[in-house]
Amino acid sequence: MSESKPGTIYEDGRLEEYLDKGIDGTSSVGLTTQKGESLTGGDALMGEVYFADFDHVAHKNTMSVGDRLQEFVLEAKLADELGFDYYFTAEHHFSQDFSLSVSQALTCTILAQETKRIRFGPMTIILPIADPLRIAEEFTIIDHLSGGRLEMGVGRGVVFHELATYGRRNADGPAIFRENLEFLIKCWTNEKNFSWNGVYNQYFDIEMPWK
């Protein structure tokens, strides 16, 4: 069992690369499970075009909440059948009509079970208000459930009251984001049990047998 603290540079150096480019949590960082070159790394093949559907799962005044959620399922199935490459959703809280996708784990579980081919995932999980260990565990299972079709996006969030309602200061958002992102990468790449003594989260003897 090893102990890790924030500041570790991992094998591929990608976390430090993201942070060096100024991605401090004010925008999304994509963590892909798909094999191939990273788009953010600048080595992607030119000429390839991918089509994605981005869904806030926003409420509509013309239908009930239940009907809107059923419509979301039908939209995802249609995108899958039409040959779209990706389907992304967004996390929002306490934002009136934009508050039907509060749990990206729940939303992505629906996508894993209701689609067959399309790759999918959260465009953004708001890391400063998340328990990163639960995120690591839950999305590991979702990836297996979908047959490896999961794409991960994480961010600091852009709506002040979403952090404030959860008791997080907006000024702390970038630091929490950096620590929690590093922790997620550690969970998904470390081969042995480890403990984590961070500024914002502490965990003991973490085991991730199914990553």
Side-chain angles (χ1 to χ4, degrees):
M1 182 179 64
S2 61
E3 182 172 332
S4 295
K5 296 183 178 181
T8 304
I9 299 177
Y10 292 102
E11 293 84 357
D12 57 7
R14 292 184 68 199
L15 176 59
E16 294 302 319
E17 176 186 331
Y18 287 138
L19 300 180
D20 288 343
K21 289 180 178 179
I23 303 178
D24 63 355
T26 58
S27 59
S28 297
V29 174
L31 304 177
T32 180
T33 59
Q34 194 174 23
K35 293 182 179 180
E37 299 298 332
S38 168
L39 292 177
T40 54
D43 297 322
L45 296 176
M46 298 298 293
E48 295 190 18
V49 178
Y50 299 92
F51 293 90
D53 190 328
F54 172 60
D55 194 345
H56 275 285
V57 198
H59 177 52
K60 297 178 179 179
N61 293 328
T62 56
M63 60 180 65
S64 68
V65 171
D67 287 343
R68 176 63 185 102
L69 293 173
Q70 290 299 321
E71 183 183 63
F72 153 66
V73 175
L74 294 176
E75 289 171 350
K77 287 183 174 181
L78 182 60
D80 193 28
E81 294 168 1
L82 290 176
F84 278 68
D85 299 293
Y86 300 95
Y87 197 100
F88 295 113
T89 59
E91 175 184 352
H92 283 295
H93 302 270
F94 324 114
S95 300
Q96 299 182 12
D97 288 344
F98 294 98
S99 302
L100 294 186
S101 185
V102 296
S103 168
Q104 292 301 281
L106 176 58
T107 302
C108 288
T109 298
I110 293 170
L111 292 172
Q113 293 193 298
E114 297 291 344
T115 62
K116 299 178 180 180
R117 177 202 53 81
I118 196 169
R119 299 187 68 83
F120 66 90
M123 182 68 75
T124 303
I125 292 175
I126 306 174
L127 283 187
I129 62 174
D131 181 335
L133 182 55
R134 289 197 64 86
I135 295 297
E137 290 183 294
E138 290 172 352
F139 281 90
T140 295
I141 299 302
I142 292 170
D143 191 46
H144 286 291
L145 180 65
S146 70
R149 293 184 287 127
L150 178 68
E151 302 281 343
M152 285 293 292
V154 296
R156 182 177 67 83
V158 296
V159 182
F160 171 78
H161 70 262
E162 292 186 336
L163 273 67
T165 304
Y166 273 93
R168 293 295 198 183
R169 295 194 314 134
N170 193 57
D172 293 333
I176 303 173
F177 170 84
R178 291 169 65 106
E179 179 179 310
N180 287 354
L181 175 59
E182 186 172 351
F183 175 78
L184 284 177
I185 295 174
K186 180 75 171 178
C187 284
W188 289 329
T189 59
N190 203 61
E191 297 299 327
K192 299 179 180 179
N193 289 19
F194 70 97
S195 293
W196 180 266
N197 184 25
V199 175
Y200 300 99
N201 292 291
Q202 297 80 40
Y203 302 105
F204 176 73
D205 196 18
I206 299 167
E207 179 183 17
M208 295 288 294
W210 303 295
K211 59 180 179 292

